[in-house]
Amino acid sequence: MKIFIKNMVCGRCISAVETIFNDANIKLKSINLGEVEIESEVSEKDLNSIEKTLLKTGFERIKDSAHQSIEKIKNLIIMKISELDIAENFLLSEFLSSKLHKDYSSLSKNFSQNENITLEQFFILQKIEKVKELLLYNEFTLTEIAGKLGYKSVQHLSSQFRNSTGFTPTEFKKLKVHNRKSLDSI
């Protein structure tokens, strides 16, 4: 039995969800971002108990296929960005279509209707959050960050960053309070 879970965006999320299932004495077959496969069927009572615990921890069970698809898309985008290896000629449409084996227009339409944001806007917002993170860590120059996240130039990154945050990357670094968003809140 597969259970789809919203807001699983990193390794710590996987660990937290795994703990929830272990505490409920439910054996897992596999666990990945947004998805848990359990070894055997679970009673409705146990499932409701797990759902309540998931909610308390910031997760949520996804029951319908449209939202399951959206969660897969979000996880794919977050993982792609975290790799820091986006080619300059990267096409989100080709990437998602090939990974999910579905037509991009239907993926995009479903995403936009349910999330009130386009896939491209979501992708940009996720990249901007990654730029913020990398700026704060101070490990890479802006040129290196632009290259790792598929921007054609530092100017393109800076323009998109300013449009999204209201600050240039340099102004953002100088701020005392860095308004970063958690990945699952975008």
Side-chain angles (χ1 to χ4, degrees):
M1 174 180 189
K2 280 191 180 183
I3 299 173
F4 295 92
I5 301 173
K6 185 176 183 175
N7 297 333
M8 286 179 70
V9 296
C10 65
R12 286 185 304 280
C13 294
I14 290 173
S15 180
V17 169
E18 187 173 25
T19 299
I20 290 169
F21 279 84
N22 287 339
D23 289 350
N25 293 317
I26 297 173
K27 300 249 187 258
L28 299 179
K29 200 175 201 178
S30 67
I31 184 167
N32 295 298
L33 290 178
E35 187 176 296
V36 173
E37 188 171 2
I38 55 179
E39 289 185 0
S40 58
E41 292 296 315
V42 178
S43 72
E44 196 61 37
K45 181 183 172 191
D46 286 342
L47 206 50
N48 288 335
S49 174
I50 287 171
E51 284 182 27
K52 286 177 186 172
T53 308
L54 286 168
L55 280 171
K56 287 178 191 171
T57 323
F59 303 106
E60 183 180 343
R61 181 172 173 225
I62 307 170
K63 296 176 183 174
D64 65 85
S65 63
H67 286 92
Q68 290 172 6
S69 175
I70 289 167
E71 205 58 26
K72 285 180 185 176
I73 290 169
K74 286 181 174 182
N75 288 331
L76 283 169
I77 288 172
I78 290 167
M79 293 307 293
K80 181 65 180 170
I81 291 170
S82 72
E83 292 170 0
L84 296 178
D85 188 25
I86 299 174
E88 192 177 301
N89 62 350
F90 176 80
L91 293 175
L92 183 62
S93 57
E94 288 179 7
F95 172 72
L96 292 174
S97 292
S98 70
K99 291 287 187 183
L100 298 171
H101 309 291
K102 292 185 179 176
D103 178 56
Y104 180 75
S105 62
S106 65
L107 293 172
S108 178
K109 182 179 178 182
N110 178 42
F111 191 93
S112 298
Q113 287 175 339
N114 287 286
E115 295 295 309
N116 297 320
I117 185 173
T118 67
L119 268 171
E120 290 78 13
Q121 289 169 324
F122 178 79
F123 183 59
I124 289 167
L125 290 175
Q126 288 293 333
K127 287 198 324 182
I128 295 302
E129 287 306 311
K130 183 53 86 172
V131 171
K132 289 179 184 178
E133 176 186 329
L134 295 172
L135 286 171
L136 295 177
Y137 292 159
N138 214 20
E139 290 180 36
F140 302 110
T141 66
L142 205 50
T143 303
E144 291 170 324
I145 293 171
K148 290 178 179 301
L149 293 176
Y151 288 99
K152 296 187 185 324
S153 66
V154 172
Q155 291 78 14
H156 183 219
L157 182 154
S158 295
S159 171
Q160 213 170 64
F161 192 91
R162 184 180 196 107
N163 288 341
S164 184
T165 66
F167 301 101
T168 66
T170 305
E171 291 169 341
F172 177 79
K173 277 181 79 167
K174 291 178 184 175
L175 290 175
K176 297 267 188 260
V177 178
H178 299 98
N179 296 326
R180 289 186 53 208
K181 298 176 184 171
S182 63
L183 298 181
D184 60 341
S185 70
I186 296 176

